[in-house]
């Protein structure tokens, strides 16, 4: 695994406010690691044989890498914007490829069928044409001008609205969703999916949000997002093949899958193949 | 446009296309979609491909080819519409 470019990427391994001095054991790409808080209150991460790993404390989470990251952790400027509520949603363990978890988050077409009467509803199933690009200057996948009808786009939404979306993939196991902010037109709510790859077919998902919503109790915001993700989990754990195919093979991508295809192309170009199936089944 | 409409497009693919797996892969993928995908010229860095079928499936062919097999890198696809018949 030494020539695996994904070793040099940043990954979430815990929630900052839940760190203890005793710490806890977990896995990162098959490697046992220990995540704890030192005497000064700073997060520390080490491998089982005592090697200290690089650490960042950002977006409510502890980030680390098994290698030597060439880039600093990606930026989410909205995290520092006054007036936003920052929500650590918690963790969901999913028996699926970490890349599958990200791809599912990028998929709009499943909303009416998996998140029925919340993020989508029949007969509003058509995904209108949108734009996808790899922004070379930042080396990120972006999908813009995405529009979709949603019966309840957010906890704060009253009634159905056509929601505008943007999707961004700044790292192989991170996706950031920008969506219409019901209480504050002109701003975007930010909902992220931070994925910890534990093994090629096992991951922990740490959703995190930066919202303009002064009304909804924090527990309701968390429960809403957890409910959405738990609906996805049963789908993710039953997908075949279990790893994300980089050769379309038996899967036939269509226009609605443009973001998924761009994500797979970006993974392929960088050799980010941990959790991927390289040859069609 | 009627649902039975057919379009005929010429795809010019550019990239690192020299792997022997690529041309058979194109034929297989077109077959799965049930459309025509005929290679009219091929080199290690450019492949010309005539694609005929319903517009949505021709779009699907473009998406599939943009990903391609693992040993091929399709950098760009130039698409030229030849005709559209109802």
């Amino acid at each position: 695994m030494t020539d695996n470019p994904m070793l040099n990427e940043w990954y979430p391994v815990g929630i900052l406010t839940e760190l203890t001095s005793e710490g806890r054991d977990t896995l990162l790409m098959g490697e046992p690691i220990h995540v704890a808080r030192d005497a000064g209150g700073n997060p520390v991460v080490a491998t089982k044989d005592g090697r200290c790993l690089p650490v960042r404390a950002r977006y409510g989470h502890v980030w680390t890498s098994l290698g030597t990251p060439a880039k600093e952790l990606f930026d989410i400027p909205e995290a520092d914007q006054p007036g936003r509520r920052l929500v650590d949603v918690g963790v969901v363990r999913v028996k699926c490829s970490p890349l599958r978890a990200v791809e599912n988050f990028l998929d709009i077409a499943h909303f009416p069928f998996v998140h029925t009467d919340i993020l989508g509803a029949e007969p509003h199933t058509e995904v209108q044409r949108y734009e996808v690009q790899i922004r070379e200057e930042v080396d990120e996948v972006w999908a813009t001008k995405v529009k979709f009808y949603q019966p309840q786009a957010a906890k704060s939404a009253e009634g159905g609205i056509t929601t505008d979306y943007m999707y961004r993939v700044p790292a192989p196991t991170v996706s950031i969703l920008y969506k219409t902010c019901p209480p504050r037109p002109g701003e975007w709510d930010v909902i992220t999916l931070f994925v910890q790859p534990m093994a090629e077919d096992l991951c922990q998902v740490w959703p995190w949000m930066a919202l303009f919503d002064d009304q909804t109790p924090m527990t309701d915001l968390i429960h809403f997002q957890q409910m959405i993700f738990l609906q996805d989990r049963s789908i993710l754990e039953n997908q075949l093949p279990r790893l994300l195919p980089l050769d379309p093979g038996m899967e036939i991508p269509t226009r609605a899958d443009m973001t998924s295809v761009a994500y797979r192309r970006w993974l392929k170009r960088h050799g980010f193949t941990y959790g991927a199936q390289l040859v069609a089944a | 446009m009627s649902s039975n409409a057919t379009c005929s497009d010429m795809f010019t693919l550019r990239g690192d296309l020299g792997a022997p797996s690529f041309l058979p892969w194109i034929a297989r993928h077109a077959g799965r979609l049930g459309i025509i995908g005929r290679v009219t010229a091929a080199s290690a860095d450019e492949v010309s491909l005539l694609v005929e079928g319903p517009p949505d499936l021709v779009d699907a062919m473009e998406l599939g080819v943009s990903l391609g097999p693992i040993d091929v890198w399709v950098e760009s696809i130039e698409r030229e519409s030849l005709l559209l018949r109802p």
Side-chain angles (χ1 to χ4, degrees), chain A residues 97 100 236 238-245 250-251 277 281:
Chain A
S97 155
R100 280 277 195 202
L236 281 168
N238 287 290
Q239 279 183 324
L240 289 173
R242 293 182 68 103
L243 304 185
L244 181 73
M250 296 302 285
E251 292 186 345
Q277 177 178 289

Side-chain angles (χ1 to χ4, degrees), chain A residues 129 245-258 261 264-266 268-269 273 278-281, chain B residues 25 28-29 32-33 56-57 59-77:
Chain A
R129 194 170 281 273
L246 293 190
D247 177 332
M250 296 302 285
E251 292 186 345
I252 304 292
T254 64
R255 187 163 49 81
D257 305 314
M258 282 167 51
V261 170
R264 295 184 199 202
R265 275 173 59 81
W266 183 78
K268 180 177 168 179
R269 186 166 78 173
T273 56
L278 305 188
V279 179
Chain B
W25 186 96
R28 235 178 5 257
H29 200 69
R32 284 192 185 117
L33 289 167
D56 286 349
L57 295 181
D59 287 348
M61 184 70 181
E62 182 182 7
L63 272 177
V65 166
S66 74
L67 203 48
I70 195 68
D71 48 0
V72 160
W73 176 252
V74 178
E75 183 65 37
S76 66
I77 302 177

Side-chain angles (χ1 to χ4, degrees), chain A residues 38-228:
Chain A
D38 68 13
N42 301 307
V44 285
V45 183
T47 59
K48 203 174 180 181
D49 59 7
R51 181 168 65 102
C52 287
L53 299 180
V55 169
R56 295 290 181 274
R58 198 77 174 101
Y59 316 128
H61 290 75
V62 183
W63 298 80
T64 193
S65 173
L66 292 172
T68 308
K71 289 198 303 186
E72 193 43 77
L73 185 65
F74 56 87
D75 192 23
I76 305 178
E78 292 82 3
D80 301 319
Q81 195 175 4
R84 285 188 186 264
R85 290 174 75 189
L86 308 180
V87 185
D88 303 331
V89 175
V91 62
V92 181
R93 183 175 293 203
V94 192
K95 288 178 197 161
C96 77
S97 155
L99 308 180
R100 280 277 195 202
V102 171
E103 191 209 38
N104 177 75
F105 192 70
L106 300 173
D107 175 32
I108 309 146
H110 80 284
F111 285 174
F113 310 106
V114 178
H115 309 296
T116 309
D117 296 333
I118 304 170
L119 299 186
E122 294 187 76
H124 308 282
T125 57
E126 185 183 359
V127 178
Q128 297 172 34
R129 194 170 281 273
Y130 58 93
E131 294 181 5
V132 180
Q133 61 179 156
I134 294 173
R135 293 189 179 172
E136 300 292 346
E137 70 278 16
V138 285
D139 193 21
E140 296 181 354
V141 180
W142 277 81
T144 56
K145 300 181 183 173
V146 183
K147 290 182 183 293
F148 207 72
Y149 174 82
Q150 298 195 318
Q152 190 188 354
K155 191 67 193 171
S156 58
E158 292 179 10
I161 54 172
T162 295
T163 306
D164 291 310
Y165 276 87
M166 293 192 294
Y167 285 97
R168 171 188 172 201
V169 179
T173 67
V174 171
S175 181
I176 303 170
L177 163 65
Y178 299 84
K179 68 186 290 189
T180 304
C181 175
R184 197 177 295 205
E187 295 283 1
W188 298 91
D189 276 340
V190 176
I191 300 173
T192 71
L193 199 73
F194 301 148
V195 181
Q196 173 187 349
M198 301 180 79
E200 288 208 78
D201 58 356
L202 179 67
C203 61
Q204 289 195 138
V205 176
W206 308 85
W208 176 84
M209 303 189 288
L211 311 176
F212 284 112
D213 182 345
D214 298 328
Q215 306 297 323
T216 310
M218 184 64 90
T219 50
D220 288 1
L221 291 173
I222 291 171
H223 287 161
F224 181 78
Q225 205 58 34
Q226 284 183 341
M227 174 191 68
I228 297 296

